[in-house]
Amino acid sequence: GGENSTWTKLGAANASWNGLAISTNGNVVVAASAAALTVSTDGGTTVTNATTSGSGSYNAVAVSANGSKVLAARGTQLFGYNGSAWAALSSPALSWSSVASSANGTNLVAVASGDKVHVSTNSGTTWTAVGAARDWEAVTSSADGMKLAGAVYNGLIYTTTDGGTNW
């Protein structure tokens, strides 16, 4: 760690980055910025910009352990990548601030300020609002997707061990 570490610069242009995720083997790196969703499948040597519909900044991103599934927040829309194509997910239109994924990419969680936590147990096909409406700023997930933690802007951190049912 620290000053003795060797860091390699990702082959992406300078940007104001909003989110970053990496697969467990380090091959898939996904970065979200105001203007682009940048993806590398070779550990950052080469990058491409993903093409999704919608408008607004890419605010957050999460990737499954093996890198085959990606969840991205752009403006008020969530997008999923299933290993072959990007698709808009049937999520509510909210200004998403943070997203997270289980290791297998099946259990997903997304938060937005002033709303409840939104969870999916089927890779984003359907979403359920859980917990209380708060000014959610960040969210994270355990590998199995059952243990979640959410941080409130200028507030507390909440946890759940049942996928979001009880906070």
Side-chain angles (χ1 to χ4, degrees):
E3 62 193 57
N4 296 322
S5 294
T6 301
W7 287 78
T8 303
K9 182 173 63 171
L10 188 72
N14 289 349
S16 177
W17 301 107
N18 299 325
L20 186 63
I22 191 168
S23 61
T24 54
N25 68 6
N27 287 338
V28 177
V29 181
V30 184
S33 75
L37 186 63
T38 303
V39 180
S40 175
T41 58
D42 58 11
T45 303
T46 59
V47 297
T48 58
N49 285 337
T51 303
T52 64
S53 59
S55 61
S57 296
Y58 290 98
N59 300 327
V61 65
V63 64
S64 63
N66 68 6
S68 66
K69 295 181 181 180
V70 179
L71 174 63
R74 181 179 196 188
T76 60
Q77 180 67 57
L78 295 177
F79 293 90
Y81 180 79
N82 62 8
S84 62
W86 287 95
L89 301 177
S90 61
S91 58
L94 298 169
S95 293
W96 302 105
S97 56
S98 183
V99 297
S101 173
S102 62
N104 66 8
T106 300
N107 294 327
L108 306 175
V109 59
V111 295
S113 184
D115 207 78
K116 295 181 176 186
V117 174
H118 294 261
V119 295
S120 173
T121 57
N122 52 20
S123 300
T125 302
T126 59
W127 293 84
T128 303
V130 297
R134 303 183 192 284
D135 288 332
W136 296 105
E137 183 74 15
V139 68
T140 192
S141 173
S142 63
D144 66 2
M146 295 308 293
K147 296 160 203 73
L148 307 173
V152 174
Y153 177 76
N154 243 0
L156 301 172
I157 297 172
Y158 295 85
T159 62
T160 179
T161 59
D162 58 11
T165 303
N166 297 293
W167 289 83

